[in-house]
Amino acid sequence: MTGPFRISEGGRIDRATTLQFTFDGQPYTGHPGDTLASALLAAGRHQVATSIKLGRPRGIAAAWAEDPSGLVQIEEPFPEPMLLATTVELSDGLVAHGVPGQGRLADVPDSARYDAVHHHVDVLVVGAGPAGLAAALTAARSGARVALVDEQSEAGGSLLSGSDVLDGAPALEWVASAVAELAGHPEVLHLQRTTAFGSYDDGFVLALERRTDHLGAAAPRHLSRQRVWRFRASSVVVATGAHERPVVFADNDRPGIMLAGAARTFLHRYGVLPGREAVVATTNDSAYDAALDLHRAGVRVQAVVDARPEGSPRRREECEAAGIPVLPMSVVTGTQGVDRVTHALVAPFADGQVGAAAAIACDLLLVSGGWNPAVHLFSQARGRLRYDEALGAFLPGEQLDGLSVAGSAAGVFDLAGCLADGRRAARAAVAARGIPAADDDRLPVAPEPVVPAAPLVLWRVPDTSAAGGSTQFVDLQRDATVADIARAVGAGLRSIEHVKRYTTIGTAHDQGKTSGILTSGITAELLGTPVRDTGTTTFRPPYTPVAFAALAGRDRGRLFDPERVTALHDWHVAAGAVFEDVGQWKRPRHYPRPGEDMAAAVLRECAAVRTGVGILDGSTLGKIDVQGPDAAVLLDRLYTNLMSSLAVGSVRYGVMCGVDGMVIDDGTVLRLAEDRFLVLTTTGGAAKVLDWMEEWGQTEWPDLRVHCTSVTEQWATFPVVGPRSRDVVGAVFPDVDVSAAAFPFMTWRDTTLAGVPVRLARISFSGELAFEVSVNPWYAVAVWERLLDAGRPYGITPYGTETMHVLRAEKGYPIIGQDTDGTVTPHDLGLAWAVSATKADFVGKRSFARAHNAHPLRKQLVGLLPVDRDTLLPEGSQIVEFAADGQLPPPPVPMLGHVTSSYRSAELGRPFALALVKGGRARIGGTVHVPVNGTLVPVEVTGAVLVDPEGARRDG
Amino acid sequence: MQLIACPWCGPREEVEFSYGGQAHVPYPDAPGELSDEEWAHYVFFRDNPKGRFAERWNHSAGCRRWFNAIRDTATYRFERVYRLDDARPVTS
């Protein structure tokens, strides 16, 4: 027997097996089937935590996820903060302790696996209580594809907490047969320990399955610990039951005070007596079941305190027959005790007035203020709620397409009604799917329901003490009281959403499952308005807390985002490349030699290219194959310059603008045939440019006979660059005449190497003589190595993106997106030569005629040379100008622009920068200043082209 | 997360689609003949109604085709999808 409060038989626990666990450093035992809470209660331990603000002792106030109180930190098997003792299934070796409202995240990596599954069904049933099981059976029998999810360790819902009878036998026998029948339907997925936590549009429901948590340290490593199910259901049946609601009174937070229904759960499901001497305070008939059940189990029930004027004559009779005193027209006004309740203060209650209180000894105080249907998933799916005056609860207030609510979640509280309601919802769901109902969808017969006496809606007992509601806890986890709500209302808050945020009620782990509706009721009372007008706060996912690890699933670490690598990646790694991320691509940034930092490596690589020969892996450049009789027309309309006049075999640089005239990408275009072009884009712009071409082709010019497709990954491309590049390329491709006359700049040639097709193009992004070598990526390594072999006599140097950037910046070639933002035209970049004056129209052309495009103070791309020949200007630095007196103008100092690119130049022997500067071209030769680390650095404004402005080097 | 009915593929997850702004805003026949103000209206000005709105959508992670839709901007509901060469549906 584990603990003095464990009864000898009954419940869903395995008494033959004993589990050891540690709580707050004390050893305890329990059984499979226990939760941490039930095992602690079996040992007589109620207090598990202290409260966050006031440090008050707190215990277990409910039996499942609605508990606002009993938060624990798990230490073993793996540290996890802020779990409820009531929802942690006991496992051998569990180590836990209570927390004062805050836990501690693990400081070691979580090595468990998490994953996700997409699942499509005709009917998703949430909740395996009587309504949910009836719905799942009905749908399954019709042949529909069904998923049934339930958050508990086993099916049954409320039937696990009571002693109901179906077909004249214990109801759990029917539950077992229903589960077995569902298992026999091949199209049914039945998941326990699975919480539907989010309900969205069009039958999209997220659920968290806890697959191995209950196994503790014995969890198999190959199974994912938790799984997120992404359901898409034609119909969702929400059969999530109801949460019992407390009544608020003074000192209602002491350990030993719990919901009446929770006591039944601990008794019937776990075989645990939550106390020896109980007082039961209620406003409705349901708590009488707890009083009678506990009495039969041997608990001395001191009194049932019923707030209703009439009480419940029938239930009173049952109690008195059992020797349980019933005090009608009475309420609990407060409690006594320190770590555990010792007395309930009971007073007469009539017409909203309380009389003098008398103390009744007890170690357990059960409370019931009625039941709140668990409408969360309905409300998350934007279902409107309506307030039911008689129940004091919010119910689904409309029909939603594809989502219905059944059973006590819809306000049906008797067993027969729940079964029938589940079947009704399922029949409607399969009918909407066009599936005929099964011939036999018999459900068990429940006893004729007894109509309960009308409940009393009572949110709080008037506080006649000097405390003024400051110990009447509404949200135990937030230590928020009736006095706090009164303060909010007193401060002028009227909206329940504002009251929530002012008081923090409903913002804890439980998201107000017990406190939310109480707050609506108490706020309405204080405002003197109807509860239906006050309404509720918005129900938002998740229904219960979900670990980020579960949401992330497998999308962590290397799987967080796809990595794109070129065919040469392994070669780069072996060569010691330092990589940088360019979009999803991994690109070599530089290839440091021993002892070199990046600056030294880049200076060496730059010098090699400008004086000898270098080679770059340019395979990531975007490549789009544009084909069709109207291919040239499409490109003419999308590029600022003329592409239709390009000869087959030639290459042209092009600029692409938005309709606003601002540059969106640039690149080169190869004409492969009359009806075929290869468009090369920037690495980052590849997808965007393809989108752009398809958008215009489809939406504006569907008459054009043209198709575009990405061939980025079909070509590996290596620029061989530098004055000796002709020697290298000529040696590797001896059948190609690589002379400037036979193979001029901006042309391309196809050839073969050992039978493999290769394309050569005279394109330069550095100003040097250069040949771009393109080949099927299968042969990338072979071709690359042949080029290296041929280049060895010339000291061929592999270079990375950083060197590529320095070389292009020295030539004033802008990087779209680095040297530009969305406000820069081709003219601003000095690319007016690439804007056709002859084409009647192209995208962006009309915007160039707007007056502002000719404004002399537009920002223009220029070069900057720090006068001290030493300072590397940080990219992004602002540019300012001294006034005539040689001083900065008074603040706010006008900003002239900013540095867009900045590097050290081997060629120039000094740092340089590109910048966008207001009226920049008119400032060439002048001096401006750039603040660097608090010092104003004088810089000379130059043209953007700093190396070989005459273009003398391009032919070698 | 909604399902959006691509006219070619049928209902697909919302994340497969990208938004293309107001539909039925054709590229002007002769931009050069427009005043700066008229051109600015084409480039920058779009309606922003509460309620039914004709919009362009692209099934960008699917068939990559553009289509038009009537969507309620208050409820997010797609009331109709139609091909680019279909006339704008009459909605009451």
Side-chain angles (χ1 to χ4, degrees), chain A residues 619-657:
Chain A
S619 303
T620 63
L621 277 183
K623 305 171 200 80
I624 302 170
D625 194 341
V626 182
Q627 296 190 42
D630 295 319
V633 180
L634 178 72
L635 297 184
D636 272 353
R637 291 181 186 177
L638 293 179
Y639 279 99
T640 58
N641 45 354
L642 201 58
M643 290 297 175
S644 54
S645 63
L646 184 63
V648 173
S650 287
V651 182
R652 188 164 287 166
Y653 173 78
V655 178
M656 205 175 254
C657 293

mmCIF file of all heavy atoms in Angstrom, chain A residues 619-657:
data_model
loop_
_atom_site.group_PDB
_atom_site.id
_atom_site.type_symbol
_atom_site.label_atom_id
_atom_site.label_comp_id
_atom_site.label_asym_id
_atom_site.label_seq_id
_atom_site.Cartn_x
_atom_site.Cartn_y
_atom_site.Cartn_z
ATOM 1 N N SER A 619 28.855 29.013 -58.837
ATOM 2 C CA SER A 619 27.713 28.164 -59.210
ATOM 3 C C SER A 619 26.392 28.629 -58.617
ATOM 4 O O SER A 619 25.331 28.238 -59.091
ATOM 5 C CB SER A 619 27.974 26.725 -58.743
ATOM 6 O OG SER A 619 29.172 26.241 -59.288
ATOM 7 N N THR A 620 26.449 29.441 -57.569
ATOM 8 C CA THR A 620 25.198 29.840 -56.908
ATOM 9 C C THR A 620 24.466 30.936 -57.666
ATOM 10 O O THR A 620 23.306 31.221 -57.353
ATOM 11 C CB THR A 620 25.487 30.348 -55.490
ATOM 12 O OG1 THR A 620 26.296 31.520 -55.577
ATOM 13 C CG2 THR A 620 26.212 29.300 -54.670
ATOM 14 N N LEU A 621 25.133 31.557 -58.640
ATOM 15 C CA LEU A 621 24.437 32.579 -59.432
ATOM 16 C C LEU A 621 23.123 32.020 -59.966
ATOM 17 O O LEU A 621 23.076 30.891 -60.448
ATOM 18 C CB LEU A 621 25.297 32.976 -60.625
ATOM 19 C CG LEU A 621 26.390 34.016 -60.416
ATOM 20 C CD1 LEU A 621 27.050 34.307 -61.756
ATOM 21 C CD2 LEU A 621 25.805 35.294 -59.836
ATOM 22 N N GLY A 622 22.076 32.817 -59.896
ATOM 23 C CA GLY A 622 20.796 32.355 -60.407
ATOM 24 C C GLY A 622 20.839 32.226 -61.923
ATOM 25 O O GLY A 622 21.444 33.053 -62.612
ATOM 26 N N LYS A 623 20.220 31.157 -62.427
ATOM 27 C CA LYS A 623 20.203 30.952 -63.880
ATOM 28 C C LYS A 623 18.779 30.590 -64.285
ATOM 29 O O LYS A 623 18.189 29.667 -63.722
ATOM 30 C CB LYS A 623 21.164 29.832 -64.279
ATOM 31 C CG LYS A 623 22.591 30.061 -63.775
ATOM 32 C CD LYS A 623 23.461 28.848 -63.999
ATOM 33 C CE LYS A 623 24.686 28.866 -63.100
ATOM 34 N NZ LYS A 623 24.429 28.433 -61.723
ATOM 35 N N ILE A 624 18.243 31.343 -65.231
ATOM 36 C CA ILE A 624 16.874 31.114 -65.676
ATOM 37 C C ILE A 624 16.892 30.900 -67.186
ATOM 38 O O ILE A 624 17.425 31.722 -67.930
ATOM 39 C CB ILE A 624 15.960 32.306 -65.305
ATOM 40 C CG1 ILE A 624 15.973 32.535 -63.796
ATOM 41 C CG2 ILE A 624 14.536 32.060 -65.811
ATOM 42 C CD1 ILE A 624 15.301 33.828 -63.373
ATOM 43 N N ASP A 625 16.335 29.784 -67.604
ATOM 44 C CA ASP A 625 16.239 29.455 -69.024
ATOM 45 C C ASP A 625 14.913 30.022 -69.530
ATOM 46 O O ASP A 625 13.850 29.648 -69.030
ATOM 47 C CB ASP A 625 16.280 27.923 -69.173
ATOM 48 C CG ASP A 625 16.532 27.487 -70.609
ATOM 49 O OD1 ASP A 625 16.314 28.299 -71.529
ATOM 50 O OD2 ASP A 625 16.930 26.319 -70.798
ATOM 51 N N VAL A 626 14.990 30.964 -70.472
ATOM 52 C CA VAL A 626 13.790 31.615 -71.006
ATOM 53 C C VAL A 626 13.634 31.174 -72.453
ATOM 54 O O VAL A 626 14.510 31.441 -73.275
ATOM 55 C CB VAL A 626 13.909 33.150 -70.908
ATOM 56 C CG1 VAL A 626 12.639 33.816 -71.415
ATOM 57 C CG2 VAL A 626 14.194 33.564 -69.465
ATOM 58 N N GLN A 627 12.538 30.489 -72.744
ATOM 59 C CA GLN A 627 12.377 29.912 -74.078
ATOM 60 C C GLN A 627 11.021 30.275 -74.671
ATOM 61 O O GLN A 627 10.042 30.401 -73.942
ATOM 62 C CB GLN A 627 12.450 28.376 -74.014
ATOM 63 C CG GLN A 627 13.792 27.838 -73.570
ATOM 64 C CD GLN A 627 13.867 26.342 -73.757
ATOM 65 O OE1 GLN A 627 13.414 25.831 -74.790
ATOM 66 N NE2 GLN A 627 14.421 25.646 -72.787
ATOM 67 N N GLY A 628 11.003 30.360 -75.978
ATOM 68 C CA GLY A 628 9.741 30.575 -76.688
ATOM 69 C C GLY A 628 9.903 31.632 -77.757
ATOM 70 O O GLY A 628 10.826 32.458 -77.690
ATOM 71 N N PRO A 629 9.013 31.626 -78.728
ATOM 72 C CA PRO A 629 9.121 32.602 -79.834
ATOM 73 C C PRO A 629 9.104 34.042 -79.328
ATOM 74 O O PRO A 629 9.669 34.924 -79.974
ATOM 75 C CB PRO A 629 7.888 32.301 -80.696
ATOM 76 C CG PRO A 629 7.476 30.908 -80.330
ATOM 77 C CD PRO A 629 7.901 30.684 -78.916
ATOM 78 N N ASP A 630 8.456 34.282 -78.165
ATOM 79 C CA ASP A 630 8.361 35.657 -77.664
ATOM 80 C C ASP A 630 9.314 35.916 -76.500
ATOM 81 O O ASP A 630 9.134 36.875 -75.746
ATOM 82 C CB ASP A 630 6.925 35.956 -77.237
ATOM 83 C CG ASP A 630 5.963 35.940 -78.413
ATOM 84 O OD1 ASP A 630 6.347 36.457 -79.490
ATOM 85 O OD2 ASP A 630 4.848 35.403 -78.264
ATOM 86 N N ALA A 631 10.327 35.068 -76.374
ATOM 87 C CA ALA A 631 11.253 35.247 -75.258
ATOM 88 C C ALA A 631 11.893 36.631 -75.288
ATOM 89 O O ALA A 631 12.003 37.315 -74.262
ATOM 90 C CB ALA A 631 12.328 34.155 -75.286
ATOM 91 N N ALA A 632 12.293 37.058 -76.470
ATOM 92 C CA ALA A 632 12.946 38.368 -76.569
ATOM 93 C C ALA A 632 11.984 39.500 -76.216
ATOM 94 O O ALA A 632 12.378 40.499 -75.618
ATOM 95 C CB ALA A 632 13.495 38.568 -77.983
ATOM 96 N N VAL A 633 10.705 39.318 -76.549
ATOM 97 C CA VAL A 633 9.724 40.361 -76.227
ATOM 98 C C VAL A 633 9.581 40.500 -74.715
ATOM 99 O O VAL A 633 9.578 41.604 -74.165
ATOM 100 C CB VAL A 633 8.356 40.020 -76.868
ATOM 101 C CG1 VAL A 633 7.334 41.105 -76.537
ATOM 102 C CG2 VAL A 633 8.509 39.828 -78.371
ATOM 103 N N LEU A 634 9.491 39.351 -74.030
ATOM 104 C CA LEU A 634 9.353 39.401 -72.570
ATOM 105 C C LEU A 634 10.548 40.117 -71.951
ATOM 106 O O LEU A 634 10.396 40.995 -71.102
ATOM 107 C CB LEU A 634 9.233 37.976 -72.001
ATOM 108 C CG LEU A 634 9.129 37.913 -70.481
ATOM 109 C CD1 LEU A 634 7.766 38.405 -70.008
ATOM 110 C CD2 LEU A 634 9.382 36.499 -69.950
ATOM 111 N N LEU A 635 11.758 39.759 -72.406
ATOM 112 C CA LEU A 635 12.946 40.368 -71.803
ATOM 113 C C LEU A 635 13.027 41.855 -72.138
ATOM 114 O O LEU A 635 13.439 42.659 -71.307
ATOM 115 C CB LEU A 635 14.203 39.624 -72.269
ATOM 116 C CG LEU A 635 14.278 38.147 -71.832
ATOM 117 C CD1 LEU A 635 15.599 37.542 -72.265
ATOM 118 C CD2 LEU A 635 14.090 37.987 -70.332
ATOM 119 N N ASP A 636 12.621 42.221 -73.323
ATOM 120 C CA ASP A 636 12.603 43.651 -73.674
ATOM 121 C C ASP A 636 11.682 44.440 -72.741
ATOM 122 O O ASP A 636 11.947 45.592 -72.419
ATOM 123 C CB ASP A 636 12.130 43.843 -75.122
ATOM 124 C CG ASP A 636 13.293 43.770 -76.112
ATOM 125 O OD1 ASP A 636 14.452 43.710 -75.647
ATOM 126 O OD2 ASP A 636 13.032 43.790 -77.328
ATOM 127 N N ARG A 637 10.597 43.799 -72.354
ATOM 128 C CA ARG A 637 9.642 44.517 -71.507
ATOM 129 C C ARG A 637 10.091 44.565 -70.047
ATOM 130 O O ARG A 637 9.642 45.419 -69.296
ATOM 131 C CB ARG A 637 8.267 43.854 -71.595
ATOM 132 C CG ARG A 637 7.618 44.037 -72.969
ATOM 133 C CD ARG A 637 6.257 43.391 -73.007
ATOM 134 N NE ARG A 637 5.703 43.447 -74.363
ATOM 135 C CZ ARG A 637 4.531 42.904 -74.697
ATOM 136 N NH1 ARG A 637 3.801 42.281 -73.779
ATOM 137 N NH2 ARG A 637 4.090 42.987 -75.940
ATOM 138 N N LEU A 638 10.932 43.605 -69.653
ATOM 139 C CA LEU A 638 11.318 43.531 -68.235
ATOM 140 C C LEU A 638 12.685 44.137 -67.958
ATOM 141 O O LEU A 638 12.967 44.518 -66.820
ATOM 142 C CB LEU A 638 11.275 42.083 -67.748
ATOM 143 C CG LEU A 638 9.884 41.468 -67.688
ATOM 144 C CD1 LEU A 638 9.963 40.027 -67.206
ATOM 145 C CD2 LEU A 638 8.977 42.274 -66.759
ATOM 146 N N TYR A 639 13.561 44.185 -68.949
ATOM 147 C CA TYR A 639 14.863 44.824 -68.741
ATOM 148 C C TYR A 639 14.818 46.257 -69.231
ATOM 149 O O TYR A 639 14.068 46.595 -70.149
ATOM 150 C CB TYR A 639 15.967 44.048 -69.467
ATOM 151 C CG TYR A 639 16.436 42.833 -68.692
ATOM 152 C CD1 TYR A 639 15.965 41.572 -68.986
ATOM 153 C CD2 TYR A 639 17.339 42.981 -67.646
ATOM 154 C CE1 TYR A 639 16.393 40.470 -68.260
ATOM 155 C CE2 TYR A 639 17.772 41.876 -66.908
ATOM 156 C CZ TYR A 639 17.292 40.625 -67.218
ATOM 157 O OH TYR A 639 17.698 39.556 -66.490
ATOM 158 N N THR A 640 15.649 47.093 -68.604
ATOM 159 C CA THR A 640 15.644 48.499 -69.011
ATOM 160 C C THR A 640 16.293 48.663 -70.377
ATOM 161 O O THR A 640 16.028 49.640 -71.063
ATOM 162 C CB THR A 640 16.412 49.351 -67.997
ATOM 163 O OG1 THR A 640 17.753 48.863 -67.896
ATOM 164 C CG2 THR A 640 15.741 49.308 -66.627
ATOM 165 N N ASN A 641 17.157 47.704 -70.737
ATOM 166 C CA ASN A 641 17.810 47.849 -72.041
ATOM 167 C C ASN A 641 17.233 46.849 -73.038
ATOM 168 O O ASN A 641 16.369 46.044 -72.692
ATOM 169 C CB ASN A 641 19.326 47.715 -71.912
ATOM 170 C CG ASN A 641 19.730 46.558 -71.026
ATOM 171 O OD1 ASN A 641 18.871 45.926 -70.421
ATOM 172 N ND2 ASN A 641 20.994 46.275 -70.956
ATOM 173 N N LEU A 642 17.758 46.916 -74.260
ATOM 174 C CA LEU A 642 17.185 46.143 -75.352
ATOM 175 C C LEU A 642 17.843 44.764 -75.389
ATOM 176 O O LEU A 642 19.057 44.657 -75.449
ATOM 177 C CB LEU A 642 17.465 46.903 -76.658
ATOM 178 C CG LEU A 642 16.604 46.610 -77.874
ATOM 179 C CD1 LEU A 642 15.125 46.860 -77.561
ATOM 180 C CD2 LEU A 642 17.056 47.506 -79.028
ATOM 181 N N MET A 643 17.058 43.711 -75.317
ATOM 182 C CA MET A 643 17.606 42.370 -75.381
ATOM 183 C C MET A 643 17.334 41.716 -76.733
ATOM 184 O O MET A 643 18.048 40.803 -77.141
ATOM 185 C CB MET A 643 17.018 41.499 -74.266
ATOM 186 C CG MET A 643 17.501 41.899 -72.877
ATOM 187 S SD MET A 643 19.294 41.686 -72.704
ATOM 188 C CE MET A 643 19.552 42.382 -71.074
ATOM 189 N N SER A 644 16.308 42.201 -77.438
ATOM 190 C CA SER A 644 15.949 41.561 -78.709
ATOM 191 C C SER A 644 17.028 41.780 -79.764
ATOM 192 O O SER A 644 17.126 41.011 -80.719
ATOM 193 C CB SER A 644 14.601 42.099 -79.203
ATOM 194 O OG SER A 644 14.638 43.504 -79.264
ATOM 195 N N SER A 645 17.830 42.826 -79.569
ATOM 196 C CA SER A 645 18.876 43.100 -80.565
ATOM 197 C C SER A 645 20.146 42.301 -80.298
ATOM 198 O O SER A 645 21.096 42.366 -81.076
ATOM 199 C CB SER A 645 19.202 44.594 -80.565
ATOM 200 O OG SER A 645 19.732 44.969 -79.296
ATOM 201 N N LEU A 646 20.154 41.542 -79.186
ATOM 202 C CA LEU A 646 21.340 40.774 -78.831
ATOM 203 C C LEU A 646 21.523 39.636 -79.843
ATOM 204 O O LEU A 646 20.570 38.918 -80.152
ATOM 205 C CB LEU A 646 21.151 40.216 -77.418
ATOM 206 C CG LEU A 646 22.306 39.448 -76.778
ATOM 207 C CD1 LEU A 646 23.528 40.348 -76.604
ATOM 208 C CD2 LEU A 646 21.867 38.901 -75.425
ATOM 209 N N ALA A 647 22.754 39.493 -80.330
ATOM 210 C CA ALA A 647 23.026 38.432 -81.303
ATOM 211 C C ALA A 647 23.180 37.099 -80.590
ATOM 212 O O ALA A 647 23.670 37.047 -79.466
ATOM 213 C CB ALA A 647 24.300 38.754 -82.073
ATOM 214 N N VAL A 648 22.769 36.031 -81.272
ATOM 215 C CA VAL A 648 23.028 34.701 -80.734
ATOM 216 C C VAL A 648 24.541 34.554 -80.594
ATOM 217 O O VAL A 648 25.301 34.889 -81.501
ATOM 218 C CB VAL A 648 22.456 33.613 -81.671
ATOM 219 C CG1 VAL A 648 22.872 32.231 -81.185
ATOM 220 C CG2 VAL A 648 20.933 33.731 -81.733
ATOM 221 N N GLY A 649 24.966 34.078 -79.415
ATOM 222 C CA GLY A 649 26.406 33.959 -79.161
ATOM 223 C C GLY A 649 26.949 35.110 -78.349
ATOM 224 O O GLY A 649 28.101 35.091 -77.947
ATOM 225 N N SER A 650 26.093 36.109 -78.088
ATOM 226 C CA SER A 650 26.566 37.268 -77.331
ATOM 227 C C SER A 650 25.893 37.354 -75.970
ATOM 228 O O SER A 650 24.939 36.642 -75.666
ATOM 229 C CB SER A 650 26.313 38.556 -78.115
ATOM 230 O OG SER A 650 27.212 38.648 -79.190
ATOM 231 N N VAL A 651 26.440 38.259 -75.181
ATOM 232 C CA VAL A 651 26.032 38.428 -73.792
ATOM 233 C C VAL A 651 25.776 39.912 -73.556
ATOM 234 O O VAL A 651 26.486 40.751 -74.121
ATOM 235 C CB VAL A 651 27.150 37.954 -72.832
ATOM 236 C CG1 VAL A 651 26.713 38.084 -71.383
ATOM 237 C CG2 VAL A 651 27.581 36.529 -73.148
ATOM 238 N N ARG A 652 24.770 40.234 -72.781
ATOM 239 C CA ARG A 652 24.532 41.650 -72.470
ATOM 240 C C ARG A 652 24.205 41.792 -70.991
ATOM 241 O O ARG A 652 23.508 40.954 -70.416
ATOM 242 C CB ARG A 652 23.383 42.183 -73.328
ATOM 243 C CG ARG A 652 23.170 43.683 -73.221
ATOM 244 C CD ARG A 652 22.292 44.194 -74.362
ATOM 245 N NE ARG A 652 23.025 44.195 -75.640
ATOM 246 C CZ ARG A 652 22.446 44.326 -76.823
ATOM 247 N NH1 ARG A 652 21.128 44.457 -76.910
ATOM 248 N NH2 ARG A 652 23.168 44.326 -77.918
ATOM 249 N N TYR A 653 24.752 42.872 -70.408
ATOM 250 C CA TYR A 653 24.391 43.216 -69.032
ATOM 251 C C TYR A 653 23.013 43.863 -69.033
ATOM 252 O O TYR A 653 22.674 44.610 -69.945
ATOM 253 C CB TYR A 653 25.423 44.187 -68.460
ATOM 254 C CG TYR A 653 25.067 44.754 -67.091
ATOM 255 C CD1 TYR A 653 25.240 43.992 -65.938
ATOM 256 C CD2 TYR A 653 24.555 46.038 -66.968
ATOM 257 C CE1 TYR A 653 24.919 44.507 -64.691
ATOM 258 C CE2 TYR A 653 24.231 46.560 -65.717
ATOM 259 C CZ TYR A 653 24.410 45.797 -64.579
ATOM 260 O OH TYR A 653 24.076 46.304 -63.349
ATOM 261 N N GLY A 654 22.202 43.543 -68.038
ATOM 262 C CA GLY A 654 20.867 44.126 -67.990
ATOM 263 C C GLY A 654 20.467 44.508 -66.582
ATOM 264 O O GLY A 654 20.971 43.949 -65.597
ATOM 265 N N VAL A 655 19.578 45.499 -66.526
ATOM 266 C CA VAL A 655 19.052 45.980 -65.245
ATOM 267 C C VAL A 655 17.536 45.813 -65.270
ATOM 268 O O VAL A 655 16.896 46.077 -66.289
ATOM 269 C CB VAL A 655 19.414 47.458 -65.011
ATOM 270 C CG1 VAL A 655 18.821 47.953 -63.709
ATOM 271 C CG2 VAL A 655 20.914 47.647 -65.025
ATOM 272 N N MET A 656 16.994 45.370 -64.163
ATOM 273 C CA MET A 656 15.559 45.128 -64.057
ATOM 274 C C MET A 656 15.006 46.051 -62.971
ATOM 275 O O MET A 656 15.606 46.162 -61.895
ATOM 276 C CB MET A 656 15.380 43.666 -63.652
ATOM 277 C CG MET A 656 14.090 43.045 -64.036
ATOM 278 S SD MET A 656 14.171 41.293 -63.594
ATOM 279 C CE MET A 656 14.361 40.572 -65.191
ATOM 280 N N CYS A 657 13.895 46.714 -63.281
ATOM 281 C CA CYS A 657 13.306 47.651 -62.319
ATOM 282 C C CYS A 657 11.863 47.267 -62.026
ATOM 283 O O CYS A 657 11.206 46.602 -62.831
ATOM 284 C CB CYS A 657 13.327 49.081 -62.868
ATOM 285 S SG CYS A 657 14.986 49.745 -63.025
#
